[in-house]
Amino acid sequence: MTPPSASSAPSPLPVPDRPAVCGLILAGGLGRRMGGVDKALLPLAGRPLLAHGIAALAPQVDRLALSANGDPARFAAFALPVLPDPLPDHPGPLAGILAGLEALAGEAWLVSAPADAPFLPHDLVSRLLARQGETGSRAVFAASGTRTHPATALWRADLAPELRAYLLAGERRVGQFLAQIGAATASWEAVSYDPFTNINTPEDMVRAEHILGG
């Protein structure tokens, strides 16, 4: 199956006075509960799982990149930059976020989201930015219902040194870092399904197929 090229994605939505934002899709997970496969490339409703996240996030940001380790050629069809972890031993999603923050080229903000979340809301970036404007926080993460989604978040560019120090100290937990820096929360309703649903198991994939099928 040939993934659609990211270059065919719509242009970012024009938002007056919106700061520059880079999007980062976290595709570096080891996929243990899916048998150790490259989960981002598994087919969902006729497209790779990753393609659903790209379709949702690309129109909301000024540019988009992937966070992933290993051979970047496996993502070549998506025509996106692939950023490896800047630290060894797979320290988790925060390492990918650090890679994104350190690769910012003039953007004021980074928005991260996991590759296994195919239903990202189309107002993700605007609502994260709005919440940041209300609170003045250096980071804002998503929540739905009673659940929080720390890896789906808005990060200010100048957090990179602090995050690197946190990881070098041996810390890994996303939620703990967000609490440490006083991050705010932006909430969405989970009505018929959670817009931040993650695909972690084959059963999750079946449920996602049913949602996409209406």
Side-chain angles (χ1 to χ4, degrees), residues 27-56:
L30 300 178
R32 292 189 181 95
R33 283 183 281 178
M34 296 290 281
V37 300
D38 210 334
K39 185 166 55 171
L41 299 178
L42 289 176
L44 174 65
R47 294 192 292 168
L49 180 55
L50 174 59
H52 294 272
I54 291 173

mmCIF file with all atom_site columns, all heavy atoms in Angstrom, residues 27-56:
data_model
loop_
_atom_site.group_PDB
_atom_site.id
_atom_site.type_symbol
_atom_site.label_atom_id
_atom_site.label_alt_id
_atom_site.label_comp_id
_atom_site.label_asym_id
_atom_site.label_entity_id
_atom_site.label_seq_id
_atom_site.pdbx_PDB_ins_code
_atom_site.Cartn_x
_atom_site.Cartn_y
_atom_site.Cartn_z
_atom_site.occupancy
_atom_site.B_iso_or_equiv
_atom_site.pdbx_formal_charge
_atom_site.auth_seq_id
_atom_site.auth_comp_id
_atom_site.auth_asym_id
_atom_site.auth_atom_id
_atom_site.pdbx_PDB_model_num
ATOM 1   N N   . ALA A 1 27 ? 6.189   9.278  16.065 1.00 0.00 ? 27 ALA A N   1
ATOM 2   C CA  . ALA A 1 27 ? 6.082   7.950  15.455 1.00 0.00 ? 27 ALA A CA  1
ATOM 3   C C   . ALA A 1 27 ? 7.218   7.049  15.916 1.00 0.00 ? 27 ALA A C   1
ATOM 4   O O   . ALA A 1 27 ? 7.582   6.096  15.230 1.00 0.00 ? 27 ALA A O   1
ATOM 5   C CB  . ALA A 1 27 ? 6.103   8.074  13.928 1.00 0.00 ? 27 ALA A CB  1
ATOM 6   N N   . GLY A 1 28 ? 7.777   7.332  17.088 1.00 0.00 ? 28 GLY A N   1
ATOM 7   C CA  . GLY A 1 28 ? 8.938   6.574  17.546 1.00 0.00 ? 28 GLY A CA  1
ATOM 8   C C   . GLY A 1 28 ? 8.635   5.462  18.517 1.00 0.00 ? 28 GLY A C   1
ATOM 9   O O   . GLY A 1 28 ? 9.551   4.845  19.065 1.00 0.00 ? 28 GLY A O   1
ATOM 10  N N   . GLY A 1 29 ? 7.335   5.169  18.774 1.00 0.00 ? 29 GLY A N   1
ATOM 11  C CA  . GLY A 1 29 ? 6.984   4.102  19.710 1.00 0.00 ? 29 GLY A CA  1
ATOM 12  C C   . GLY A 1 29 ? 7.428   2.739  19.219 1.00 0.00 ? 29 GLY A C   1
ATOM 13  O O   . GLY A 1 29 ? 7.545   2.493  18.021 1.00 0.00 ? 29 GLY A O   1
ATOM 14  N N   . LEU A 1 30 ? 7.666   1.823  20.177 1.00 0.00 ? 30 LEU A N   1
ATOM 15  C CA  . LEU A 1 30 ? 8.160   0.490  19.832 1.00 0.00 ? 30 LEU A CA  1
ATOM 16  C C   . LEU A 1 30 ? 7.041   -0.488 19.481 1.00 0.00 ? 30 LEU A C   1
ATOM 17  O O   . LEU A 1 30 ? 7.312   -1.598 19.029 1.00 0.00 ? 30 LEU A O   1
ATOM 18  C CB  . LEU A 1 30 ? 8.990   -0.065 20.998 1.00 0.00 ? 30 LEU A CB  1
ATOM 19  C CG  . LEU A 1 30 ? 10.218  0.788  21.372 1.00 0.00 ? 30 LEU A CG  1
ATOM 20  C CD1 . LEU A 1 30 ? 10.932  0.176  22.568 1.00 0.00 ? 30 LEU A CD1 1
ATOM 21  C CD2 . LEU A 1 30 ? 11.155  0.929  20.193 1.00 0.00 ? 30 LEU A CD2 1
ATOM 22  N N   . GLY A 1 31 ? 5.775   -0.117 19.686 1.00 0.00 ? 31 GLY A N   1
ATOM 23  C CA  . GLY A 1 31 ? 4.650   -0.957 19.268 1.00 0.00 ? 31 GLY A CA  1
ATOM 24  C C   . GLY A 1 31 ? 4.627   -2.330 19.908 1.00 0.00 ? 31 GLY A C   1
ATOM 25  O O   . GLY A 1 31 ? 4.232   -3.310 19.279 1.00 0.00 ? 31 GLY A O   1
ATOM 26  N N   . ARG A 1 32 ? 5.001   -2.439 21.187 1.00 0.00 ? 32 ARG A N   1
ATOM 27  C CA  . ARG A 1 32 ? 5.092   -3.756 21.838 1.00 0.00 ? 32 ARG A CA  1
ATOM 28  C C   . ARG A 1 32 ? 3.750   -4.483 21.865 1.00 0.00 ? 32 ARG A C   1
ATOM 29  O O   . ARG A 1 32 ? 3.685   -5.691 21.679 1.00 0.00 ? 32 ARG A O   1
ATOM 30  C CB  . ARG A 1 32 ? 5.629   -3.584 23.259 1.00 0.00 ? 32 ARG A CB  1
ATOM 31  C CG  . ARG A 1 32 ? 7.094   -3.132 23.321 1.00 0.00 ? 32 ARG A CG  1
ATOM 32  C CD  . ARG A 1 32 ? 7.619   -3.185 24.739 1.00 0.00 ? 32 ARG A CD  1
ATOM 33  N NE  . ARG A 1 32 ? 9.004   -2.738 24.809 1.00 0.00 ? 32 ARG A NE  1
ATOM 34  C CZ  . ARG A 1 32 ? 9.383   -1.498 25.103 1.00 0.00 ? 32 ARG A CZ  1
ATOM 35  N NH1 . ARG A 1 32 ? 8.449   -0.569 25.330 1.00 0.00 ? 32 ARG A NH1 1
ATOM 36  N NH2 . ARG A 1 32 ? 10.659  -1.170 25.178 1.00 0.00 ? 32 ARG A NH2 1
ATOM 37  N N   . ARG A 1 33 ? 2.668   -3.731 22.132 1.00 0.00 ? 33 ARG A N   1
ATOM 38  C CA  . ARG A 1 33 ? 1.354   -4.388 22.242 1.00 0.00 ? 33 ARG A CA  1
ATOM 39  C C   . ARG A 1 33 ? 0.768   -4.735 20.879 1.00 0.00 ? 33 ARG A C   1
ATOM 40  O O   . ARG A 1 33 ? -0.275  -5.378 20.806 1.00 0.00 ? 33 ARG A O   1
ATOM 41  C CB  . ARG A 1 33 ? 0.394   -3.496 23.033 1.00 0.00 ? 33 ARG A CB  1
ATOM 42  C CG  . ARG A 1 33 ? 0.656   -3.541 24.533 1.00 0.00 ? 33 ARG A CG  1
ATOM 43  C CD  . ARG A 1 33 ? -0.338  -2.706 25.308 1.00 0.00 ? 33 ARG A CD  1
ATOM 44  N NE  . ARG A 1 33 ? -0.013  -1.288 25.249 1.00 0.00 ? 33 ARG A NE  1
ATOM 45  C CZ  . ARG A 1 33 ? -0.751  -0.335 25.820 1.00 0.00 ? 33 ARG A CZ  1
ATOM 46  N NH1 . ARG A 1 33 ? -1.873  -0.655 26.461 1.00 0.00 ? 33 ARG A NH1 1
ATOM 47  N NH2 . ARG A 1 33 ? -0.389  0.931  25.749 1.00 0.00 ? 33 ARG A NH2 1
ATOM 48  N N   . MET A 1 34 ? 1.439   -4.322 19.809 1.00 0.00 ? 34 MET A N   1
ATOM 49  C CA  . MET A 1 34 ? 1.018   -4.699 18.452 1.00 0.00 ? 34 MET A CA  1
ATOM 50  C C   . MET A 1 34 ? 2.006   -5.689 17.847 1.00 0.00 ? 34 MET A C   1
ATOM 51  O O   . MET A 1 34 ? 2.109   -5.829 16.633 1.00 0.00 ? 34 MET A O   1
ATOM 52  C CB  . MET A 1 34 ? 0.919   -3.451 17.577 1.00 0.00 ? 34 MET A CB  1
ATOM 53  C CG  . MET A 1 34 ? -0.133  -2.448 18.019 1.00 0.00 ? 34 MET A CG  1
ATOM 54  S SD  . MET A 1 34 ? -1.836  -3.004 17.770 1.00 0.00 ? 34 MET A SD  1
ATOM 55  C CE  . MET A 1 34 ? -2.022  -2.678 16.018 1.00 0.00 ? 34 MET A CE  1
ATOM 56  N N   . GLY A 1 35 ? 2.760   -6.360 18.719 1.00 0.00 ? 35 GLY A N   1
ATOM 57  C CA  . GLY A 1 35 ? 3.696   -7.366 18.239 1.00 0.00 ? 35 GLY A CA  1
ATOM 58  C C   . GLY A 1 35 ? 5.026   -6.810 17.793 1.00 0.00 ? 35 GLY A C   1
ATOM 59  O O   . GLY A 1 35 ? 5.780   -7.481 17.073 1.00 0.00 ? 35 GLY A O   1
ATOM 60  N N   . GLY A 1 36 ? 5.349   -5.581 18.197 1.00 0.00 ? 36 GLY A N   1
ATOM 61  C CA  . GLY A 1 36 ? 6.628   -4.992 17.853 1.00 0.00 ? 36 GLY A CA  1
ATOM 62  C C   . GLY A 1 36 ? 6.716   -4.461 16.434 1.00 0.00 ? 36 GLY A C   1
ATOM 63  O O   . GLY A 1 36 ? 7.799   -4.176 15.939 1.00 0.00 ? 36 GLY A O   1
ATOM 64  N N   . VAL A 1 37 ? 5.575   -4.295 15.769 1.00 0.00 ? 37 VAL A N   1
ATOM 65  C CA  . VAL A 1 37 ? 5.578   -3.791 14.391 1.00 0.00 ? 37 VAL A CA  1
ATOM 66  C C   . VAL A 1 37 ? 5.662   -2.270 14.391 1.00 0.00 ? 37 VAL A C   1
ATOM 67  O O   . VAL A 1 37 ? 5.500   -1.616 15.421 1.00 0.00 ? 37 VAL A O   1
ATOM 68  C CB  . VAL A 1 37 ? 4.306   -4.236 13.638 1.00 0.00 ? 37 VAL A CB  1
ATOM 69  C CG1 . VAL A 1 37 ? 4.219   -5.752 13.593 1.00 0.00 ? 37 VAL A CG1 1
ATOM 70  C CG2 . VAL A 1 37 ? 3.050   -3.657 14.293 1.00 0.00 ? 37 VAL A CG2 1
ATOM 71  N N   . ASP A 1 38 ? 5.923   -1.715 13.215 1.00 0.00 ? 38 ASP A N   1
ATOM 72  C CA  . ASP A 1 38 ? 5.936   -0.260 13.055 1.00 0.00 ? 38 ASP A CA  1
ATOM 73  C C   . ASP A 1 38 ? 4.488   0.202  12.982 1.00 0.00 ? 38 ASP A C   1
ATOM 74  O O   . ASP A 1 38 ? 3.875   0.271  11.917 1.00 0.00 ? 38 ASP A O   1
ATOM 75  C CB  . ASP A 1 38 ? 6.690   0.107  11.776 1.00 0.00 ? 38 ASP A CB  1
ATOM 76  C CG  . ASP A 1 38 ? 7.370   1.456  11.875 1.00 0.00 ? 38 ASP A CG  1
ATOM 77  O OD1 . ASP A 1 38 ? 6.884   2.295  12.654 1.00 0.00 ? 38 ASP A OD1 1
ATOM 78  O OD2 . ASP A 1 38 ? 8.385   1.638  11.198 1.00 0.00 ? 38 ASP A OD2 1
ATOM 79  N N   . LYS A 1 39 ? 3.944   0.520  14.140 1.00 0.00 ? 39 LYS A N   1
ATOM 80  C CA  . LYS A 1 39 ? 2.511   0.771  14.259 1.00 0.00 ? 39 LYS A CA  1
ATOM 81  C C   . LYS A 1 39 ? 2.028   1.888  13.340 1.00 0.00 ? 39 LYS A C   1
ATOM 82  O O   . LYS A 1 39 ? 0.936   1.825  12.785 1.00 0.00 ? 39 LYS A O   1
ATOM 83  C CB  . LYS A 1 39 ? 2.192   1.088  15.725 1.00 0.00 ? 39 LYS A CB  1
ATOM 84  C CG  . LYS A 1 39 ? 0.724   1.245  16.023 1.00 0.00 ? 39 LYS A CG  1
ATOM 85  C CD  . LYS A 1 39 ? 0.439   1.207  17.518 1.00 0.00 ? 39 LYS A CD  1
ATOM 86  C CE  . LYS A 1 39 ? 1.211   2.191  18.327 1.00 0.00 ? 39 LYS A CE  1
ATOM 87  N NZ  . LYS A 1 39 ? 0.744   2.270  19.734 1.00 0.00 ? 39 LYS A NZ  1
ATOM 88  N N   . ALA A 1 40 ? 2.835   2.915  13.160 1.00 0.00 ? 40 ALA A N   1
ATOM 89  C CA  . ALA A 1 40 ? 2.419   4.065  12.360 1.00 0.00 ? 40 ALA A CA  1
ATOM 90  C C   . ALA A 1 40 ? 2.112   3.701  10.916 1.00 0.00 ? 40 ALA A C   1
ATOM 91  O O   . ALA A 1 40 ? 1.365   4.408  10.237 1.00 0.00 ? 40 ALA A O   1
ATOM 92  C CB  . ALA A 1 40 ? 3.501   5.138  12.393 1.00 0.00 ? 40 ALA A CB  1
ATOM 93  N N   . LEU A 1 41 ? 2.660   2.583  10.440 1.00 0.00 ? 41 LEU A N   1
ATOM 94  C CA  . LEU A 1 41 ? 2.469   2.191  9.042  1.00 0.00 ? 41 LEU A CA  1
ATOM 95  C C   . LEU A 1 41 ? 1.411   1.112  8.860  1.00 0.00 ? 41 LEU A C   1
ATOM 96  O O   . LEU A 1 41 ? 1.150   0.694  7.730  1.00 0.00 ? 41 LEU A O   1
ATOM 97  C CB  . LEU A 1 41 ? 3.808   1.721  8.451  1.00 0.00 ? 41 LEU A CB  1
ATOM 98  C CG  . LEU A 1 41 ? 4.920   2.786  8.448  1.00 0.00 ? 41 LEU A CG  1
ATOM 99  C CD1 . LEU A 1 41 ? 6.209   2.201  7.886  1.00 0.00 ? 41 LEU A CD1 1
ATOM 100 C CD2 . LEU A 1 41 ? 4.505   4.019  7.669  1.00 0.00 ? 41 LEU A CD2 1
ATOM 101 N N   . LEU A 1 42 ? 0.795   0.672  9.945  1.00 0.00 ? 42 LEU A N   1
ATOM 102 C CA  . LEU A 1 42 ? -0.276  -0.321 9.822  1.00 0.00 ? 42 LEU A CA  1
ATOM 103 C C   . LEU A 1 42 ? -1.479  0.279  9.093  1.00 0.00 ? 42 LEU A C   1
ATOM 104 O O   . LEU A 1 42 ? -1.797  1.458  9.265  1.00 0.00 ? 42 LEU A O   1
ATOM 105 C CB  . LEU A 1 42 ? -0.713  -0.806 11.202 1.00 0.00 ? 42 LEU A CB  1
ATOM 106 C CG  . LEU A 1 42 ? 0.269   -1.707 11.955 1.00 0.00 ? 42 LEU A CG  1
ATOM 107 C CD1 . LEU A 1 42 ? -0.270  -2.013 13.348 1.00 0.00 ? 42 LEU A CD1 1
ATOM 108 C CD2 . LEU A 1 42 ? 0.518   -3.001 11.192 1.00 0.00 ? 42 LEU A CD2 1
ATOM 109 N N   . PRO A 1 43 ? -2.169  -0.519 8.272  1.00 0.00 ? 43 PRO A N   1
ATOM 110 C CA  . PRO A 1 43 ? -3.313  0.027  7.530  1.00 0.00 ? 43 PRO A CA  1
ATOM 111 C C   . PRO A 1 43 ? -4.541  0.225  8.410  1.00 0.00 ? 43 PRO A C   1
ATOM 112 O O   . PRO A 1 43 ? -4.890  -0.636 9.218  1.00 0.00 ? 43 PRO A O   1
ATOM 113 C CB  . PRO A 1 43 ? -3.567  -1.034 6.449  1.00 0.00 ? 43 PRO A CB  1
ATOM 114 C CG  . PRO A 1 43 ? -3.040  -2.305 7.041  1.00 0.00 ? 43 PRO A CG  1
ATOM 115 C CD  . PRO A 1 43 ? -1.872  -1.921 7.896  1.00 0.00 ? 43 PRO A CD  1
ATOM 116 N N   . LEU A 1 44 ? -5.179  1.362  8.246  1.00 0.00 ? 44 LEU A N   1
ATOM 117 C CA  . LEU A 1 44 ? -6.445  1.666  8.909  1.00 0.00 ? 44 LEU A CA  1
ATOM 118 C C   . LEU A 1 44 ? -7.360  2.305  7.881  1.00 0.00 ? 44 LEU A C   1
ATOM 119 O O   . LEU A 1 44 ? -7.061  3.390  7.362  1.00 0.00 ? 44 LEU A O   1
ATOM 120 C CB  . LEU A 1 44 ? -6.232  2.607  10.095 1.00 0.00 ? 44 LEU A CB  1
ATOM 121 C CG  . LEU A 1 44 ? -7.512  3.116  10.780 1.00 0.00 ? 44 LEU A CG  1
ATOM 122 C CD1 . LEU A 1 44 ? -8.281  1.962  11.426 1.00 0.00 ? 44 LEU A CD1 1
ATOM 123 C CD2 . LEU A 1 44 ? -7.181  4.191  11.821 1.00 0.00 ? 44 LEU A CD2 1
ATOM 124 N N   . ALA A 1 45 ? -8.454  1.635  7.571  1.00 0.00 ? 45 ALA A N   1
ATOM 125 C CA  . ALA A 1 45 ? -9.432  2.144  6.593  1.00 0.00 ? 45 ALA A CA  1
ATOM 126 C C   . ALA A 1 45 ? -8.763  2.498  5.266  1.00 0.00 ? 45 ALA A C   1
ATOM 127 O O   . ALA A 1 45 ? -9.047  3.535  4.666  1.00 0.00 ? 45 ALA A O   1
ATOM 128 C CB  . ALA A 1 45 ? -10.193 3.336  7.161  1.00 0.00 ? 45 ALA A CB  1
ATOM 129 N N   . GLY A 1 46 ? -7.846  1.651  4.820  1.00 0.00 ? 46 GLY A N   1
ATOM 130 C CA  . GLY A 1 46 ? -7.240  1.822  3.508  1.00 0.00 ? 46 GLY A CA  1
ATOM 131 C C   . GLY A 1 46 ? -6.045  2.744  3.447  1.00 0.00 ? 46 GLY A C   1
ATOM 132 O O   . GLY A 1 46 ? -5.485  2.952  2.364  1.00 0.00 ? 46 GLY A O   1
ATOM 133 N N   . ARG A 1 47 ? -5.638  3.318  4.589  1.00 0.00 ? 47 ARG A N   1
ATOM 134 C CA  . ARG A 1 47 ? -4.483  4.205  4.624  1.00 0.00 ? 47 ARG A CA  1
ATOM 135 C C   . ARG A 1 47 ? -3.615  3.841  5.823  1.00 0.00 ? 47 ARG A C   1
ATOM 136 O O   . ARG A 1 47 ? -4.131  3.313  6.824  1.00 0.00 ? 47 ARG A O   1
ATOM 137 C CB  . ARG A 1 47 ? -4.906  5.672  4.763  1.00 0.00 ? 47 ARG A CB  1
ATOM 138 C CG  . ARG A 1 47 ? -5.659  6.221  3.583  1.00 0.00 ? 47 ARG A CG  1
ATOM 139 C CD  . ARG A 1 47 ? -5.780  7.738  3.693  1.00 0.00 ? 47 ARG A CD  1
ATOM 140 N NE  . ARG A 1 47 ? -6.640  8.134  4.807  1.00 0.00 ? 47 ARG A NE  1
ATOM 141 C CZ  . ARG A 1 47 ? -6.733  9.391  5.264  1.00 0.00 ? 47 ARG A CZ  1
ATOM 142 N NH1 . ARG A 1 47 ? -5.977  10.343 4.726  1.00 0.00 ? 47 ARG A NH1 1
ATOM 143 N NH2 . ARG A 1 47 ? -7.558  9.677  6.242  1.00 0.00 ? 47 ARG A NH2 1
ATOM 144 N N   . PRO A 1 48 ? -2.332  4.138  5.787  1.00 0.00 ? 48 PRO A N   1
ATOM 145 C CA  . PRO A 1 48 ? -1.519  3.927  6.985  1.00 0.00 ? 48 PRO A CA  1
ATOM 146 C C   . PRO A 1 48 ? -2.061  4.748  8.150  1.00 0.00 ? 48 PRO A C   1
ATOM 147 O O   . PRO A 1 48 ? -2.569  5.859  7.968  1.00 0.00 ? 48 PRO A O   1
ATOM 148 C CB  . PRO A 1 48 ? -0.125  4.414  6.562  1.00 0.00 ? 48 PRO A CB  1
ATOM 149 C CG  . PRO A 1 48 ? -0.134  4.364  5.080  1.00 0.00 ? 48 PRO A CG  1
ATOM 150 C CD  . PRO A 1 48 ? -1.547  4.649  4.655  1.00 0.00 ? 48 PRO A CD  1
ATOM 151 N N   . LEU A 1 49 ? -1.937  4.195  9.337  1.00 0.00 ? 49 LEU A N   1
ATOM 152 C CA  . LEU A 1 49 ? -2.397  4.886  10.540 1.00 0.00 ? 49 LEU A CA  1
ATOM 153 C C   . LEU A 1 49 ? -1.829  6.305  10.610 1.00 0.00 ? 49 LEU A C   1
ATOM 154 O O   . LEU A 1 49 ? -2.539  7.272  10.919 1.00 0.00 ? 49 LEU A O   1
ATOM 155 C CB  . LEU A 1 49 ? -1.982  4.073  11.769 1.00 0.00 ? 49 LEU A CB  1
ATOM 156 C CG  . LEU A 1 49 ? -2.351  4.583  13.157 1.00 0.00 ? 49 LEU A CG  1
ATOM 157 C CD1 . LEU A 1 49 ? -3.843  4.835  13.273 1.00 0.00 ? 49 LEU A CD1 1
ATOM 158 C CD2 . LEU A 1 49 ? -1.878  3.585  14.207 1.00 0.00 ? 49 LEU A CD2 1
ATOM 159 N N   . LEU A 1 50 ? -0.562  6.445  10.293 1.00 0.00 ? 50 LEU A N   1
ATOM 160 C CA  . LEU A 1 50 ? 0.094   7.746  10.317 1.00 0.00 ? 50 LEU A CA  1
ATOM 161 C C   . LEU A 1 50 ? -0.589  8.757  9.399  1.00 0.00 ? 50 LEU A C   1
ATOM 162 O O   . LEU A 1 50 ? -0.658  9.949  9.720  1.00 0.00 ? 50 LEU A O   1
ATOM 163 C CB  . LEU A 1 50 ? 1.562   7.570  9.910  1.00 0.00 ? 50 LEU A CB  1
ATOM 164 C CG  . LEU A 1 50 ? 2.412   8.819  9.735  1.00 0.00 ? 50 LEU A CG  1
ATOM 165 C CD1 . LEU A 1 50 ? 2.466   9.638  11.018 1.00 0.00 ? 50 LEU A CD1 1
ATOM 166 C CD2 . LEU A 1 50 ? 3.819   8.433  9.285  1.00 0.00 ? 50 LEU A CD2 1
ATOM 167 N N   . ALA A 1 51 ? -1.102  8.313  8.260  1.00 0.00 ? 51 ALA A N   1
ATOM 168 C CA  . ALA A 1 51 ? -1.718  9.225  7.295  1.00 0.00 ? 51 ALA A CA  1
ATOM 169 C C   . ALA A 1 51 ? -2.927  9.941  7.881  1.00 0.00 ? 51 ALA A C   1
ATOM 170 O O   . ALA A 1 51 ? -3.220  11.085 7.505  1.00 0.00 ? 51 ALA A O   1
ATOM 171 C CB  . ALA A 1 51 ? -2.122  8.466  6.032  1.00 0.00 ? 51 ALA A CB  1
ATOM 172 N N   . HIS A 1 52 ? -3.636  9.311  8.796  1.00 0.00 ? 52 HIS A N   1
ATOM 173 C CA  . HIS A 1 52 ? -4.805  9.944  9.406  1.00 0.00 ? 52 HIS A CA  1
ATOM 174 C C   . HIS A 1 52 ? -4.368  11.130 10.277 1.00 0.00 ? 52 HIS A C   1
ATOM 175 O O   . HIS A 1 52 ? -5.001  12.196 10.262 1.00 0.00 ? 52 HIS A O   1
ATOM 176 C CB  . HIS A 1 52 ? -5.581  8.924  10.231 1.00 0.00 ? 52 HIS A CB  1
ATOM 177 C CG  . HIS A 1 52 ? -6.195  7.832  9.418  1.00 0.00 ? 52 HIS A CG  1
ATOM 178 N ND1 . HIS A 1 52 ? -7.448  7.931  8.855  1.00 0.00 ? 52 HIS A ND1 1
ATOM 179 C CD2 . HIS A 1 52 ? -5.709  6.612  9.044  1.00 0.00 ? 52 HIS A CD2 1
ATOM 180 C CE1 . HIS A 1 52 ? -7.725  6.825  8.177  1.00 0.00 ? 52 HIS A CE1 1
ATOM 181 N NE2 . HIS A 1 52 ? -6.680  6.010  8.276  1.00 0.00 ? 52 HIS A NE2 1
ATOM 182 N N   . GLY A 1 53 ? -3.291  10.951 11.036 1.00 0.00 ? 53 GLY A N   1
ATOM 183 C CA  . GLY A 1 53 ? -2.783  12.050 11.849 1.00 0.00 ? 53 GLY A CA  1
ATOM 184 C C   . GLY A 1 53 ? -2.256  13.194 11.007 1.00 0.00 ? 53 GLY A C   1
ATOM 185 O O   . GLY A 1 53 ? -2.474  14.358 11.322 1.00 0.00 ? 53 GLY A O   1
ATOM 186 N N   . ILE A 1 54 ? -1.558  12.857 9.917  1.00 0.00 ? 54 ILE A N   1
ATOM 187 C CA  . ILE A 1 54 ? -1.055  13.889 9.017  1.00 0.00 ? 54 ILE A CA  1
ATOM 188 C C   . ILE A 1 54 ? -2.211  14.700 8.430  1.00 0.00 ? 54 ILE A C   1
ATOM 189 O O   . ILE A 1 54 ? -2.168  15.933 8.382  1.00 0.00 ? 54 ILE A O   1
ATOM 190 C CB  . ILE A 1 54 ? -0.213  13.263 7.898  1.00 0.00 ? 54 ILE A CB  1
ATOM 191 C CG1 . ILE A 1 54 ? 1.096   12.710 8.474  1.00 0.00 ? 54 ILE A CG1 1
ATOM 192 C CG2 . ILE A 1 54 ? 0.070   14.272 6.789  1.00 0.00 ? 54 ILE A CG2 1
ATOM 193 C CD1 . ILE A 1 54 ? 1.925   11.934 7.473  1.00 0.00 ? 54 ILE A CD1 1
ATOM 194 N N   . ALA A 1 55 ? -3.253  14.006 7.994  1.00 0.00 ? 55 ALA A N   1
ATOM 195 C CA  . ALA A 1 55 ? -4.395  14.693 7.384  1.00 0.00 ? 55 ALA A CA  1
ATOM 196 C C   . ALA A 1 55 ? -5.062  15.653 8.364  1.00 0.00 ? 55 ALA A C   1
ATOM 197 O O   . ALA A 1 55 ? -5.544  16.721 7.971  1.00 0.00 ? 55 ALA A O   1
ATOM 198 C CB  . ALA A 1 55 ? -5.401  13.670 6.881  1.00 0.00 ? 55 ALA A CB  1
ATOM 199 N N   . ALA A 1 56 ? -5.084  15.289 9.644  1.00 0.00 ? 56 ALA A N   1
ATOM 200 C CA  . ALA A 1 56 ? -5.725  16.153 10.643 1.00 0.00 ? 56 ALA A CA  1
ATOM 201 C C   . ALA A 1 56 ? -4.837  17.315 11.049 1.00 0.00 ? 56 ALA A C   1
ATOM 202 O O   . ALA A 1 56 ? -5.299  18.454 11.212 1.00 0.00 ? 56 ALA A O   1
ATOM 203 C CB  . ALA A 1 56 ? -6.094  15.333 11.872 1.00 0.00 ? 56 ALA A CB  1
#
